[in-house]
């Protein structure tokens, strides 16, 4: 079988595919075998040929056989599963550490030198360790081409690792239902030659390029996964035309009041997002960004919003 021979996009492909093929093979053998025997019995012992049922009682030999063989098969399946899984838990000491932050609904990758990226760029043939953190709810980092998946749990630092063995770009998905835009929580892992990787890593100036510094704040904090820039309605109100708009909001007392979107309101909406929720949107979906967006960044963000008319 071809998948048993290929070494694959990551160091785990072979182990996982082998155990999958073994379990699938055993399952198929029994599916076909049991179905075949069933059909044979139905024909062989049909009423016309066997009007009188014959009773069979006790057969030690048969009972031992049907206990021992399944036990061995289960142990074989366990062995392949275990040998495929165990290396995933043994992280090499020299693996490159990358901090992964998941939030509704984006991924964020931070390197040891402070470089931040929305896609995971890694060097070819080198061990990479991912430290997984969640800002809000349960997520799960899944790279199907690498055959790895790990839950990202709030308040817990789960880890995973891999070696990218083939240059290319592979999908990253969220594999834990985490709310309305779970299906859009996508990214890429890009495997490039070592030298190219270190050049990319050293270049911290290109983050944001010459875009508005306020837009960089918006992108870094993944505001745009819930607030569009083009006026379309997502989970939260669009940023387009928001500045100076009169909005109906619901205050903590449940009363509807009208506010004008100004610096004060933006500040409150980011630091205490559930205090005054715009009418028609859900409360409790946004976390406070007090620890994540500084006053200075807030000023830049507010300046940017004013340009989005
Ligand atoms: Cu994050 Cu689903």
């Amino acid at each position: 079988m071809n998948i048993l021979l290929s070494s694959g996009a990551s160091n785990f492909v072979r182990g996982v595919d082998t155990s999958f093929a073994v379990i699938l093979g055993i399952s198929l053998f029994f599916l076909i075998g049991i179905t075949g025997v069933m059909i044979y019995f139905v024909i062989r012992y049909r009423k016309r040929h066997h009007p009188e049922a014959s009773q069979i009682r006790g057969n030690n030999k048969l009972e031992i056989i049907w206990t021992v063989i399944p036990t061995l098969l289960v142990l074989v399946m366990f062995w392949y599963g275990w040998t495929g899984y165990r290396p995933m838990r043994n992280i090499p000491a020299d693996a490159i550490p990358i901090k992964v932050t998941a939030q509704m609904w984006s991924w964020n990758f931070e390197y040891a030198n402070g470089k931040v990226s929305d896609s995971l760029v890694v060097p070819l043939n080198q061990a990479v360790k991912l430290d997984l953190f969640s800002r809000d709810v349960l997520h799960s980092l899944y790279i199907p081409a690498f055959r790895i998946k790990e839950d990202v749990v709030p308040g817990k630092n789960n880890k995973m690792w891999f070696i990218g063995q083939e240059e290319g770009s592979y999908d990253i998905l969220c594999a834990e239902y985490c709310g309305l835009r779970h299906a859009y929580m996508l990214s890429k892992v890009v495997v490039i030659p070592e030298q190219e990787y270190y050049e990319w890593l050293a270049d911290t100036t290109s983050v944001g390029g010459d875009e508005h510094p306020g837009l960089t704040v918006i992108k870094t904090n993944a505001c745009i996964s819930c607030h569009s820039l083009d006026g379309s309605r997502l989970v939260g109100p669009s940023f387009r035309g928001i500045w100076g708009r009169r909005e109906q909001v619901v205050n903590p007392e449940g009363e509807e009041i009208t506010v004008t979107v100004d610096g004060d309101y933006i500040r409150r909406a980011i630091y205490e997002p559930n205090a005054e929720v715009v009418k028609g949107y859900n409360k409790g979906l946004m976390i406070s960004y007090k620890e994540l967006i500084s006053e200075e960044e807030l000023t830049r963000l507010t300046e940017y919003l004013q340009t989005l008319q």
Side-chain angles (χ1 to χ4, degrees):
M1 213 184 263
N2 210 7
I3 52 169
L4 287 175
L5 300 173
S6 78
S7 58
S10 90
N11 54 322
F12 297 125
V13 170
R14 194 174 182 154
V16 172
D17 285 359
T18 305
S19 78
F20 183 80
V22 167
I23 295 170
L24 183 71
I26 291 173
S27 307
L28 276 179
F29 172 79
F30 280 101
L31 175 71
I32 294 165
I34 292 172
T35 309
V37 171
M38 263 168 56
I39 293 170
Y40 171 74
F41 276 22
V42 163
I43 295 167
R44 174 92 165 71
Y45 297 104
R46 63 192 187 277
K47 200 177 179 185
R48 192 147 36 90
H49 280 214
H50 270 263
E52 290 285 317
S54 53
Q55 301 297 333
I56 302 165
R57 209 163 260 128
N59 187 326
N60 284 343
K61 203 161 102 191
L62 210 60
E63 282 178 27
I64 289 168
I65 290 171
W66 78 44
T67 306
V68 170
I69 291 179
T71 305
L72 291 176
L73 284 174
V74 167
L75 286 175
V76 166
M77 289 192 271
F78 171 77
W79 173 253
Y80 279 101
W82 176 246
T83 50
Y85 172 74
R86 202 177 44 172
M88 293 179 183
R89 303 321 315 164
N90 294 330
I91 305 176
D94 62 348
I96 299 170
I98 300 173
K99 184 182 168 187
V100 181
T101 308
Q103 70 180 94
M104 295 187 278
W105 287 277
S106 73
W107 299 103
N108 185 291
F109 305 95
E110 191 183 334
Y111 293 76
N113 68 347
K115 176 150 182 160
V116 173
S117 169
D118 57 6
S119 55
L120 178 58
V121 178
V122 298
L124 185 66
N125 291 329
Q126 276 203 43
V128 170
K129 176 183 99 164
L130 304 180
D131 273 298
L132 308 171
F133 297 95
S134 169
R135 278 187 185 155
D136 37 49
V137 297
L138 282 173
H139 303 275
S140 178
L141 197 151
Y142 181 30
I143 311 175
F146 289 0
R147 310 288 193 269
I148 49 172
K149 175 157 68 174
E150 189 68 42
D151 278 358
V152 187
V153 182
K156 216 176 159 211
N157 170 206
N158 280 353
K159 295 167 202 294
M160 69 202 292
W161 80 282
F162 63 84
I163 300 171
Q165 302 185 141
E166 282 168 17
E167 272 179 58
S169 171
Y170 310 91
D171 290 331
I172 293 179
L173 290 91
C174 180
E176 184 76 56
Y177 183 68
C178 55
L180 275 177
R181 291 180 64 77
H182 154 75
Y184 297 90
M185 201 167 157
L186 307 167
S187 184
K188 294 265 178 209
V189 50
V190 185
V191 183
I192 53 177
E194 197 180 332
Q195 203 193 331
E196 234 177 274
Y197 166 77
Y198 284 106
E199 282 166 17
W200 173 87
L201 187 66
D203 181 13
T204 47
T205 53
S206 69
V207 181
D210 49 24
E211 71 187 14
H212 194 291
L215 179 58
T216 312
V217 176
I218 286 176
K219 284 185 181 168
T220 313
N221 291 282
C223 310
I224 40 179
S225 36
C226 299
H227 303 276
S228 77
L229 299 177
D230 62 2
S232 54
R233 185 193 164 112
L234 299 177
V235 178
S238 174
F239 285 149
R240 177 151 303 270
I242 200 171
W243 185 260
R245 197 157 63 197
R246 309 262 299 155
E247 290 277 26
Q248 289 278 107
V249 301
V250 182
N251 71 8
E253 285 76 47
E255 299 158 354
E256 279 180 27
I257 53 168
T258 306
V259 297
T260 303
V261 179
D262 54 8
D264 265 354
Y265 181 76
I266 298 287
R267 190 175 187 283
R268 235 173 319 148
I270 290 174
Y271 287 170
E272 301 165 61
N274 297 305
E276 286 175 353
V277 179
V278 177
K279 202 184 157 196
Y281 290 92
N282 286 321
K283 202 174 170 165
L285 281 178
M286 183 171 160
I287 55 160
S288 168
Y289 281 75
K290 207 162 182 115
E291 309 293 322
L292 301 164
I293 298 179
S294 67
E295 291 283 351
E296 195 199 330
E297 287 174 318
L298 189 67
T299 310
R300 278 185 253 145
L301 189 153
T302 310
E303 281 164 10
Y304 177 69
L305 292 185
Q306 292 171 38
T307 70
L308 272 184
Q309 294 307 317

